[in-house]
Amino acid sequence: MPSEQLAGHERRSRVRVIDALVGGKDNYVEDRKAADKIAQVLPGGFEGAKRLFTEDFWFRVRVCRMLISRAEVSHFVLLGVDQCETSAAPLHKLILRDAPDAVVVYVEPELDIATHALEFDTRTNERGPVVRVIHDDIYDPALLTRLFESSSVPLDASEPVALLHCATLPFLPSDSDTTPAEVTAGQIDTLPDGSFVAASHLCIPDGAADHAAAVRAADALEESFGTRLCRPEAEIATFFGGLPLVVPSPLTTAPALVPCSKWYPPGPILEHVAVDDYNVGAVAHKGKPWPYC
């Protein structure tokens, strides 16, 4: 293996850290060190992390399915390749089952992960499924400008887009020139009217029984690895650029951030799992409040 490639594997990777957290095998020592620190923040340690990131994946699935069925969205920009192994197919395949003519664009900043994901890339033309895998910086506020201007990316600036920023912003380096809110604000500005933005982010609930210990662990993680894993819910709410949120459940009329497992859950929630409160998400609409919110 070339030395520069080996050095790349020795650096932490967002995808490989999540793989380590959920018990996968495609990770390296530095990834496992970060995963161990993250597990200390969450109730249930590694088991809690596995549930949390799995629920984040299903949050994305429910968001896409609802936007296909109720908002007739057919253009999806997924920031970050799928990061959690589940029994389900990759997200783009689930989207295409419900919307065979959909356009799905994955954007992945890690070159080795993007290269591996090229197996998803298709070149189907006229009224067929289209999947593209793009290697680019998901934390660049100007990202969508490049995507719309690229002749190789089949996005139409006149068509509403669903932009998914899930399980990505917690891994923005603390020393980045931009904050998460600045990242999403720039990307939202580029979206066509009528588009939707979904985002999830880890947090430490104010009412958590072990709140102080979790905060200390999160602070230690940032000091060691330069990543602000958890942010207050009030800060996470600013990542939607002031756009109106979609109500998170048919049982309420109040738009809000909620634990990802409670955003349009597939059935009755029969028990409360503490770790679910550590990852919140929401969907916002660019334009007037959406008819279903």
Side-chain angles (χ1 to χ4, degrees):
M1 180 180 290
S3 59
E4 65 272 13
Q5 187 176 354
L6 179 61
H9 286 315
E10 291 175 343
R11 292 192 296 269
R12 288 188 313 282
S13 152
R14 182 193 80 259
V15 176
R16 294 197 304 265
V17 167
I18 294 176
D19 179 75
L21 282 166
V22 301
K25 304 299 183 183
D26 297 324
N27 51 76
Y28 297 91
V29 172
E30 286 301 309
D31 307 310
R32 292 191 287 274
K33 287 181 180 178
D36 185 64
K37 289 282 188 180
I38 293 172
Q40 294 176 32
V41 179
L42 305 172
F46 280 94
E47 284 301 313
K50 184 173 184 177
R51 174 181 172 86
L52 186 151
F53 284 103
T54 301
E55 288 294 337
D56 192 283
F57 172 81
W58 288 111
F59 166 70
R60 285 172 260 165
V61 172
R62 293 193 299 275
V63 166
C64 292
R65 285 179 169 165
M66 190 189 73
L67 294 182
I68 289 168
S69 63
R70 299 188 183 183
E72 298 183 350
V73 172
S74 61
H75 288 65
F76 296 84
V77 176
L78 312 179
L79 301 186
V81 172
D82 287 346
Q83 303 133 346
C84 182
E85 290 291 333
T86 69
S87 58
L91 183 53
H92 68 277
K93 290 190 176 181
L94 299 180
I95 291 172
L96 294 174
R97 286 178 190 174
D98 293 337
D101 298 339
V103 172
V104 180
V105 178
Y106 284 105
V107 184
E108 174 55 55
E110 298 175 17
L111 181 57
D112 56 336
I113 303 298
T115 301
H116 180 72
L118 284 175
E119 64 182 281
F120 298 157
D121 203 277
T122 67
R123 301 288 163 177
T124 306
N125 294 317
E126 298 297 326
R127 299 194 62 76
V130 177
V131 181
R132 292 288 184 273
V133 177
I134 307 298
H135 174 232
D136 208 330
D137 182 4
I138 61 176
Y139 303 122
D140 184 352
L143 167 66
L144 291 183
T145 299
R146 289 195 298 278
L147 294 185
F148 280 118
E149 291 177 349
S150 173
S151 59
S152 65
V153 180
L155 291 176
D156 186 339
S158 66
E159 292 283 337
V161 172
L163 176 69
L164 276 67
H165 232 312
C166 300
T168 52
L169 294 169
F171 295 90
L172 174 69
S174 299
D175 60 359
S176 172
D177 292 336
T178 55
T179 66
E182 290 169 340
V183 170
T184 55
Q187 295 173 357
I188 288 170
D189 283 347
T190 312
L191 286 173
D193 286 343
S195 293
F196 292 83
V197 180
S200 63
H201 200 291
L202 303 180
C203 70
I204 300 174
D206 290 337
D210 54 354
H211 183 271
V215 169
R216 287 195 297 271
D219 289 344
L221 176 70
E222 182 172 23
E223 183 176 345
S224 300
F225 297 105
T227 298
R228 191 62 189 171
L229 179 75
C230 301
R231 298 179 188 273
E233 288 190 34
E235 182 181 355
I236 298 169
T238 67
F239 300 168
F240 298 91
L243 300 179
L245 299 182
V246 174
V247 295
S249 163
L251 302 179
T252 181
T253 58
L257 279 168
V258 295
C260 289
S261 62
K262 296 181 180 178
W263 197 91
Y264 278 88
I269 298 175
L270 301 179
E271 63 176 335
H272 176 75
V273 181
V275 75
D276 287 354
D277 295 336
Y278 282 67
N279 192 35
V280 294
V283 178
H285 181 235
K286 185 173 182 179
K288 297 178 180 179
W290 193 44
Y292 293 92
C293 63

